Amino acid sequence: KNEVEQSPQNLTAQEGEFITINCSYSVGISALHWLQQHPGGGIVSLFMLSSGKKKHGRLIATINIQEKHSSLHITASHPRDSAVYICAVWVHYGGSQGNLIFGKGTKLSVKP
Amino acid sequence: DTGVSQDPRHKITKRGQNVTFRCDPISEHNRLYWYRQTLGQGPEFLTYFQNEAQLEKSRLLSDRFSAERPKGSFSTLEIQRTEQGDSAMYLCASRAVVTEAFFGQGTRLTVV
């Protein structure tokens, strides 16, 4: 079982729909990233959060530390939101300084 | 542009050749990470530097791989005697102590 699980793996939506992507993790973390990756490579950090909720434009991220669960919501989705969304958590193993453990990503396609 | 930059963006090499990639982090970030991402998968941790010290190495980093960060600024990742299985996107990220991670555009390696 992966330490970071995302669902769904693939998601197709119509423009304007409300979208939710879920992330569950099984390890202790210090913070969680939601990342966006467009075809051809680069990764952009959308949010880093360790508690509560953050909002940026049409994007909202929430985290429940007790339940080890986070969600990324996109309101009024648009075709330009089509990308892979990746959940990643900062973990510390023993004396480790910590590194990011990634989920496999959710491929979102928003149709006009 | 003061983001994380990686060079080259693309590299095609013949099996058995050596390749070297460079990452220039955000200047005030003392932590630098290397990840490898294969098609359809989330990135996997390779190694991590704090300033010039290499603090962690994944078991994915075989003895053909070496990374350096000689002056605590830019970093290089070298792969010796490349194999077809090394074909992947190599991502670099940097962060300060408690900030979010910022990612480069990645170097896509194709071994033919």
Side-chain angles (χ1 to χ4, degrees), chain A residues 19-34:
Chain A
I19 288 163
T20 295
I21 300 171
N22 294 300
C23 175
S24 296
Y25 52 91
S26 57
V27 292
I29 71 169
S30 55
L32 180 147
H33 270 283
W34 279 104

Side-chain angles (χ1 to χ4, degrees), chain A residues 30-31 33 35 37 40-48 86 90 92-93 95-105, chain B residues 9-10 31 33 35 37 40-45 48 50 55-56 89 91 95 98-106 108:
Chain A
S30 55
H33 270 283
L35 307 165
Q37 187 173 34
I43 288 178
V44 174
S45 176
L46 300 173
F47 297 101
M48 186 177 82
I86 303 172
W90 287 106
H92 297 264
Y93 296 119
S96 161
Q97 295 295 314
N99 62 75
L100 271 176
I101 305 297
F102 294 80
K104 291 189 176 182
Chain B
R9 292 289 309 277
H10 303 273
R31 298 185 177 188
Y33 302 80
Y35 298 92
Q37 185 178 26
Q41 301 295 314
E44 296 174 293
F45 171 73
Y48 152 64
Q50 181 165 298
L55 295 186
E56 286 186 58
M89 174 77 83
L91 292 160
R95 73 185 297 219
V98 291
T99 66
E100 62 190 298
F102 291 82
F103 289 81
Q105 290 293 305
R108 182 169 295 284

Side-chain angles (χ1 to χ4, degrees), chain B residues 46-61:
Chain B
L46 291 178
T47 190
Y48 152 64
F49 290 86
Q50 181 165 298
N51 301 312
E52 66 275 11
Q54 188 174 20
L55 295 186
E56 286 186 58
K57 287 168 52 173
S58 163
R59 57 182 169 77
L60 293 175
L61 214 65

